[in-house]
PDB file of all heavy atoms in Angstrom:
ATOM      1  N   HIS A 166       8.642  24.143  65.396  1.00 92.00           N
ATOM      2  CA  HIS A 166       7.184  24.082  65.397  1.00 92.00           C
ATOM      3  C   HIS A 166       6.612  25.116  66.374  1.00 92.00           C
ATOM      4  O   HIS A 166       7.279  25.510  67.333  1.00 92.00           O
ATOM      5  CB  HIS A 166       6.738  22.674  65.799  1.00 92.00           C
ATOM      6  CG  HIS A 166       5.294  22.405  65.482  1.00 92.00           C
ATOM      7  ND1 HIS A 166       4.847  22.281  64.189  1.00 92.00           N
ATOM      8  CD2 HIS A 166       4.215  22.238  66.285  1.00 92.00           C
ATOM      9  CE1 HIS A 166       3.544  22.041  64.209  1.00 92.00           C
ATOM     10  NE2 HIS A 166       3.135  22.021  65.468  1.00 92.00           N
ATOM     11  N   VAL A 167       5.386  25.528  66.113  1.00 90.00           N
ATOM     12  CA  VAL A 167       4.732  26.511  66.964  1.00 90.00           C
ATOM     13  C   VAL A 167       4.643  25.974  68.404  1.00 90.00           C
ATOM     14  O   VAL A 167       4.462  24.771  68.620  1.00 90.00           O
ATOM     15  CB  VAL A 167       3.334  26.876  66.404  1.00 90.00           C
ATOM     16  CG1 VAL A 167       2.397  25.670  66.425  1.00 90.00           C
ATOM     17  CG2 VAL A 167       2.729  28.054  67.153  1.00 90.00           C
ATOM     18  N   ASP A 168       4.864  26.863  69.355  1.00 93.00           N
ATOM     19  CA  ASP A 168       4.783  26.538  70.782  1.00 93.00           C
ATOM     20  C   ASP A 168       5.924  25.672  71.299  1.00 93.00           C
ATOM     21  O   ASP A 168       5.872  25.182  72.427  1.00 93.00           O
ATOM     22  CB  ASP A 168       3.449  25.848  71.136  1.00 93.00           C
ATOM     23  CG  ASP A 168       2.322  26.868  71.289  1.00 93.00           C
ATOM     24  OD1 ASP A 168       2.649  28.076  71.353  1.00 93.00           O
ATOM     25  OD2 ASP A 168       1.148  26.468  71.334  1.00 93.00           O
ATOM     26  N   HIS A 169       6.928  25.428  70.488  1.00 95.00           N
ATOM     27  CA  HIS A 169       8.042  24.626  70.985  1.00 95.00           C
ATOM     28  C   HIS A 169       9.047  25.474  71.767  1.00 95.00           C
ATOM     29  O   HIS A 169       9.969  24.936  72.355  1.00 95.00           O
ATOM     30  CB  HIS A 169       8.728  23.860  69.841  1.00 95.00           C
ATOM     31  CG  HIS A 169       7.970  22.612  69.476  1.00 95.00           C
ATOM     32  ND1 HIS A 169       8.534  21.571  68.783  1.00 95.00           N
ATOM     33  CD2 HIS A 169       6.692  22.248  69.725  1.00 95.00           C
ATOM     34  CE1 HIS A 169       7.636  20.614  68.610  1.00 95.00           C
ATOM     35  NE2 HIS A 169       6.502  21.006  69.167  1.00 95.00           N
ATOM     36  N   GLY A 170       8.846  26.812  71.747  1.00 94.00           N
ATOM     37  CA  GLY A 170       9.661  27.665  72.615  1.00 94.00           C
ATOM     38  C   GLY A 170      10.658  28.570  71.917  1.00 94.00           C
ATOM     39  O   GLY A 170      11.611  29.031  72.544  1.00 94.00           O
ATOM     40  N   LYS A 171      10.423  28.866  70.648  1.00 93.00           N
ATOM     41  CA  LYS A 171      11.359  29.722  69.900  1.00 93.00           C
ATOM     42  C   LYS A 171      11.454  31.112  70.530  1.00 93.00           C
ATOM     43  O   LYS A 171      12.540  31.609  70.805  1.00 93.00           O
ATOM     44  CB  LYS A 171      10.894  29.873  68.437  1.00 93.00           C
ATOM     45  CG  LYS A 171      10.822  28.571  67.661  1.00 93.00           C
ATOM     46  CD  LYS A 171      10.400  28.813  66.225  1.00 93.00           C
ATOM     47  CE  LYS A 171       8.947  29.267  66.088  1.00 93.00           C
ATOM     48  NZ  LYS A 171       7.961  28.232  66.450  1.00 93.00           N
ATOM     49  N   THR A 172      10.266  31.709  70.753  1.00 90.00           N
ATOM     50  CA  THR A 172      10.245  33.065  71.297  1.00 90.00           C
ATOM     51  C   THR A 172      10.840  33.098  72.701  1.00 90.00           C
ATOM     52  O   THR A 172      11.644  33.979  73.029  1.00 90.00           O
ATOM     53  CB  THR A 172       8.799  33.594  71.332  1.00 90.00           C
ATOM     54  OG1 THR A 172       8.193  33.291  70.068  1.00 90.00           O
ATOM     55  CG2 THR A 172       8.745  35.082  71.559  1.00 90.00           C
ATOM     56  N   SER A 173      10.467  32.110  73.522  1.00 92.00           N
ATOM     57  CA  SER A 173      10.990  32.059  74.889  1.00 92.00           C
ATOM     58  C   SER A 173      12.512  31.967  74.879  1.00 92.00           C
ATOM     59  O   SER A 173      13.199  32.625  75.663  1.00 92.00           O
ATOM     60  CB  SER A 173      10.425  30.845  75.638  1.00 92.00           C
ATOM     61  OG  SER A 173       9.037  30.799  75.513  1.00 92.00           O
ATOM     62  N   LEU A 174      13.023  31.156  73.983  1.00 93.00           N
ATOM     63  CA  LEU A 174      14.465  30.966  73.900  1.00 93.00           C
ATOM     64  C   LEU A 174      15.160  32.273  73.519  1.00 93.00           C
ATOM     65  O   LEU A 174      16.159  32.678  74.139  1.00 93.00           O
ATOM     66  CB  LEU A 174      14.768  29.884  72.849  1.00 93.00           C
ATOM     67  CG  LEU A 174      16.140  29.234  72.923  1.00 93.00           C
ATOM     68  CD1 LEU A 174      16.261  28.401  74.184  1.00 93.00           C
ATOM     69  CD2 LEU A 174      16.354  28.329  71.705  1.00 93.00           C
ATOM     70  N   ASN A 265      14.261  21.497  73.616  1.00 97.00           N
ATOM     71  CA  ASN A 265      13.743  22.432  74.618  1.00 97.00           C
ATOM     72  C   ASN A 265      12.747  21.764  75.582  1.00 97.00           C
ATOM     73  O   ASN A 265      12.306  20.650  75.355  1.00 97.00           O
ATOM     74  CB  ASN A 265      13.076  23.617  73.906  1.00 97.00           C
ATOM     75  CG  ASN A 265      12.786  24.772  74.854  1.00 97.00           C
ATOM     76  OD1 ASN A 265      13.515  24.971  75.825  1.00 97.00           O
ATOM     77  ND2 ASN A 265      11.733  25.516  74.577  1.00 97.00           N
ATOM     78  N   LYS A 266      12.419  22.490  76.614  1.00 97.00           N
ATOM     79  CA  LYS A 266      11.460  22.075  77.649  1.00 97.00           C
ATOM     80  C   LYS A 266      11.954  20.835  78.391  1.00 97.00           C
ATOM     81  O   LYS A 266      11.180  19.945  78.756  1.00 97.00           O
ATOM     82  CB  LYS A 266      10.065  21.813  77.048  1.00 97.00           C
ATOM     83  CG  LYS A 266       9.541  22.996  76.215  1.00 97.00           C
ATOM     84  CD  LYS A 266       8.039  22.970  76.039  1.00 97.00           C
ATOM     85  CE  LYS A 266       7.603  24.127  75.131  1.00 97.00           C
ATOM     86  NZ  LYS A 266       6.153  24.190  74.920  1.00 97.00           N
ATOM     87  N   MET A 267      13.274  20.760  78.608  1.00 97.00           N
ATOM     88  CA  MET A 267      13.853  19.629  79.313  1.00 97.00           C
ATOM     89  C   MET A 267      13.438  19.625  80.786  1.00 97.00           C
ATOM     90  O   MET A 267      13.633  18.632  81.483  1.00 97.00           O
ATOM     91  CB  MET A 267      15.379  19.644  79.182  1.00 97.00           C
ATOM     92  CG  MET A 267      15.874  19.232  77.814  1.00 97.00           C
ATOM     93  SD  MET A 267      15.341  17.583  77.304  1.00 97.00           S
ATOM     94  CE  MET A 267      16.433  16.559  78.287  1.00 97.00           C
ATOM     95  N   ASP A 268      12.888  20.759  81.259  1.00 96.00           N
ATOM     96  CA  ASP A 268      12.430  20.810  82.652  1.00 96.00           C
ATOM     97  C   ASP A 268      11.136  20.025  82.849  1.00 96.00           C
ATOM     98  O   ASP A 268      10.786  19.660  83.972  1.00 96.00           O
ATOM     99  CB  ASP A 268      12.222  22.272  83.069  1.00 96.00           C
ATOM    100  CG  ASP A 268      11.239  22.986  82.156  1.00 96.00           C
ATOM    101  OD1 ASP A 268      11.584  23.197  80.953  1.00 96.00           O
ATOM    102  OD2 ASP A 268      10.133  23.301  82.585  1.00 96.00           O
ATOM    103  N   LEU A 269      10.425  19.734  81.798  1.00 95.00           N
ATOM    104  CA  LEU A 269       9.159  19.000  81.920  1.00 95.00           C
ATOM    105  C   LEU A 269       9.430  17.529  82.174  1.00 95.00           C
ATOM    106  O   LEU A 269      10.345  16.946  81.595  1.00 95.00           O
ATOM    107  CB  LEU A 269       8.318  19.152  80.645  1.00 95.00           C
ATOM    108  CG  LEU A 269       7.793  20.557  80.335  1.00 95.00           C
ATOM    109  CD1 LEU A 269       7.031  20.548  79.001  1.00 95.00           C
ATOM    110  CD2 LEU A 269       6.888  21.049  81.461  1.00 95.00           C
ATOM    111  N   VAL A 300      18.001  21.890  76.450  1.00 97.00           N
ATOM    112  CA  VAL A 300      17.887  23.202  77.104  1.00 97.00           C
ATOM    113  C   VAL A 300      16.512  23.365  77.751  1.00 97.00           C
ATOM    114  O   VAL A 300      15.603  22.556  77.523  1.00 97.00           O
ATOM    115  CB  VAL A 300      18.068  24.375  76.101  1.00 97.00           C
ATOM    116  CG1 VAL A 300      19.446  24.393  75.491  1.00 97.00           C
ATOM    117  CG2 VAL A 300      17.001  24.323  75.015  1.00 97.00           C
ATOM    118  N   SER A 301      16.401  24.385  78.539  1.00 96.00           N
ATOM    119  CA  SER A 301      15.089  24.813  79.004  1.00 96.00           C
ATOM    120  C   SER A 301      15.045  26.335  78.937  1.00 96.00           C
ATOM    121  O   SER A 301      15.807  27.008  79.633  1.00 96.00           O
ATOM    122  CB  SER A 301      14.833  24.346  80.439  1.00 96.00           C
ATOM    123  OG  SER A 301      13.721  25.065  80.960  1.00 96.00           O
ATOM    124  N   ALA A 302      14.175  26.830  78.084  1.00 95.00           N
ATOM    125  CA  ALA A 302      14.044  28.279  77.968  1.00 95.00           C
ATOM    126  C   ALA A 302      13.429  28.833  79.240  1.00 95.00           C
ATOM    127  O   ALA A 302      13.592  29.995  79.581  1.00 95.00           O
ATOM    128  CB  ALA A 302      13.182  28.641  76.763  1.00 95.00           C
ATOM    129  N   LYS A 303      12.734  27.945  79.962  1.00 94.00           N
ATOM    130  CA  LYS A 303      12.058  28.383  81.173  1.00 94.00           C
ATOM    131  C   LYS A 303      13.053  28.595  82.317  1.00 94.00           C
ATOM    132  O   LYS A 303      13.053  29.645  82.956  1.00 94.00           O
ATOM    133  CB  LYS A 303      11.013  27.331  81.579  1.00 94.00           C
ATOM    134  CG  LYS A 303      10.104  27.799  82.689  1.00 94.00           C
ATOM    135  CD  LYS A 303       9.012  26.782  82.936  1.00 94.00           C
ATOM    136  CE  LYS A 303       8.120  27.230  84.096  1.00 94.00           C
ATOM    137  NZ  LYS A 303       7.203  26.148  84.485  1.00 94.00           N
TER     138      LYS A 303
HETATM  139  P1  LIG B 844       7.034  29.541  69.959  1.00 83.52           P
HETATM  140  O1  LIG B 844       5.677  29.471  69.377  1.00 83.52           O
HETATM  141  O2  LIG B 844       7.916  28.457  69.425  1.00 83.52           O
HETATM  142  O3  LIG B 844       7.691  30.878  69.866  1.00 83.52           O
HETATM  143  O4  LIG B 844       6.906  29.181  71.501  1.00 83.52           O
HETATM  144  P2  LIG B 844       6.857  30.107  72.770  1.00 83.52           P
HETATM  145  O5  LIG B 844       8.203  30.604  73.116  1.00 83.52           O
HETATM  146  O6  LIG B 844       5.763  31.105  72.609  1.00 83.52           O
HETATM  147  O7  LIG B 844       6.466  29.054  73.883  1.00 83.52           O
HETATM  148  C1  LIG B 844       5.241  28.343  73.863  1.00 83.52           C
HETATM  149  C2  LIG B 844       4.880  27.940  75.266  1.00 83.52           C
HETATM  150  O8  LIG B 844       5.840  27.041  75.796  1.00 83.52           O
HETATM  151  C3  LIG B 844       4.803  29.110  76.231  1.00 83.52           C
HETATM  152  O9  LIG B 844       3.716  28.916  77.090  1.00 83.52           O
HETATM  153  C4  LIG B 844       6.120  29.021  76.998  1.00 83.52           C
HETATM  154  O10 LIG B 844       6.010  29.534  78.292  1.00 83.52           O
HETATM  155  C5  LIG B 844       6.357  27.530  77.007  1.00 83.52           C
HETATM  156  N1  LIG B 844       7.769  27.191  77.105  1.00 83.52           N
HETATM  157  C6  LIG B 844       8.755  27.632  76.292  1.00 83.52           C
HETATM  158  N2  LIG B 844       9.935  27.096  76.635  1.00 83.52           N
HETATM  159  C7  LIG B 844       9.705  26.309  77.707  1.00 83.52           C
HETATM  160  C8  LIG B 844      10.525  25.464  78.524  1.00 83.52           C
HETATM  161  O11 LIG B 844      11.741  25.341  78.345  1.00 83.52           O
HETATM  162  N3  LIG B 844       9.902  24.792  79.533  1.00 83.52           N
HETATM  163  C9  LIG B 844       8.568  24.885  79.754  1.00 83.52           C
HETATM  164  N4  LIG B 844       8.068  24.190  80.745  1.00 83.52           N
HETATM  165  N5  LIG B 844       7.781  25.656  79.004  1.00 83.52           N
HETATM  166  C10 LIG B 844       8.320  26.358  78.008  1.00 83.52           C
END
Side-chain angles (χ1 to χ4, degrees):
H166 195 70
V167 64
D168 280 348
H169 280 199
K171 299 182 291 292
T172 314
S173 310
L174 199 68
N265 193 31
K266 307 200 183 181
M267 286 302 284
D268 57 292
L269 294 177
V300 296
S301 165
K303 190 174 178 189

